[in-house]
Amino acid sequence: ARLHEPEPQIGSWLMSASPLVTEAMGCAGFDFLVVDMEHCPIDLPQALSLLQVLAGTSTPPVLRVPWNDAVVVKRVLDAGAQTIMFPFIQTVEEAQQAVASTRYPPQGIRGVAGMNRAGRFGTIDDYVHKAASELCVILQLETPSAVALLPDIAALEGVDAVFIGPADLSANMGLLGKINDAKVQEALSAGAKAARQ
């Protein structure tokens, strides 16, 4: 819902598995916090703990999974994650796979559990039919070839947002560590315009 608001959303990455740090960040007034399972030593039990902590604050979590892996996605969704960020999406097919891993059949391939935290342990009526409408899928594009496909990827049903990873994009442009290089900034700007369209 916040993606439809005209004001930009300001968030931060959580680089710690500490519940106390997470709670403090959740109380700091950010619009979102990224629980990062890709580049931080956060595993599923720790991610669950952080999701539980953030549920007691006004800050919604974005959970970045370590890879576009349907098994990992199923587990974090069952644990209650509602906004999933997928790293290193390279093709339209990979984008479709990411979305499919968040949807129950016949729209996708998410496995169906009889009861889980996401469905509030059976207390959300008809959770399996409501789940997709309450999820947010963010896809990361991190190479020039992926950014070139941004219009096709962003137009896919079930894709709510794209994130152009500036560090990996600069590295894949041959400009490792030079995020502020004019060529990288130009690619980011062009990607933002394409996403808005």
Side-chain angles (χ1 to χ4, degrees):
R2 290 183 180 188
L3 290 174
H4 295 288
E5 296 176 6
E7 299 80 18
Q9 302 298 302
I10 307 298
S12 182
W13 252 248
L14 279 169
M15 308 302 286
S16 168
S18 165
L20 192 59
V21 169
T22 299
E23 186 175 26
M25 294 283 286
C27 293
F30 289 106
D31 294 308
F32 64 90
L33 289 170
V34 179
V35 176
D36 188 5
M37 294 178 73
E38 182 190 15
H39 287 297
C40 297
I42 296 174
D43 59 17
L44 183 57
Q46 291 167 318
L48 169 59
S49 174
L50 302 184
L51 292 174
Q52 290 171 318
V53 166
L54 287 173
T57 74
S58 62
T59 304
V62 173
L63 196 144
R64 179 160 71 169
V65 292
W67 197 248
N68 187 5
D69 179 331
V71 174
V72 172
V73 172
K74 170 179 57 178
R75 295 188 75 202
V76 299
L77 288 174
D78 286 352
Q82 289 185 292
T83 300
I84 308 290
M85 179 182 280
F86 291 83
F88 210 74
I89 299 297
Q90 287 288 95
T91 64
V92 171
E93 292 75 20
E94 288 179 5
Q96 291 169 325
Q97 176 189 349
V99 172
S101 69
T102 68
R103 291 349 194 218
Y104 289 121
Q107 289 78 25
I109 60 168
R110 179 181 174 187
V112 182
M115 189 181 305
N116 55 34
R117 181 174 182 268
R120 304 303 295 154
F121 307 102
T123 63
I124 295 178
D125 289 335
D126 206 23
Y127 168 76
V128 294
H129 291 103
K130 296 175 182 175
S133 67
E134 297 178 358
L135 297 178
C136 180
V137 173
I138 303 171
L139 304 181
Q140 283 187 241
L141 311 180
E142 305 182 71
T143 65
S145 60
V147 173
L149 292 172
L150 189 151
D152 296 327
I153 290 172
L156 292 172
E157 185 175 348
V159 174
D160 297 293
V162 294
F163 172 75
I164 301 173
D168 279 302
L169 179 64
S170 64
N172 285 293
M173 292 176 69
L175 297 164
L176 179 63
K178 298 181 180 178
I179 294 171
N180 291 322
D181 185 278
K183 292 178 184 174
V184 177
Q185 290 298 309
E186 183 179 317
L188 292 171
S189 178
K193 289 177 185 173
R196 279 196 285 284
Q197 289 175 352

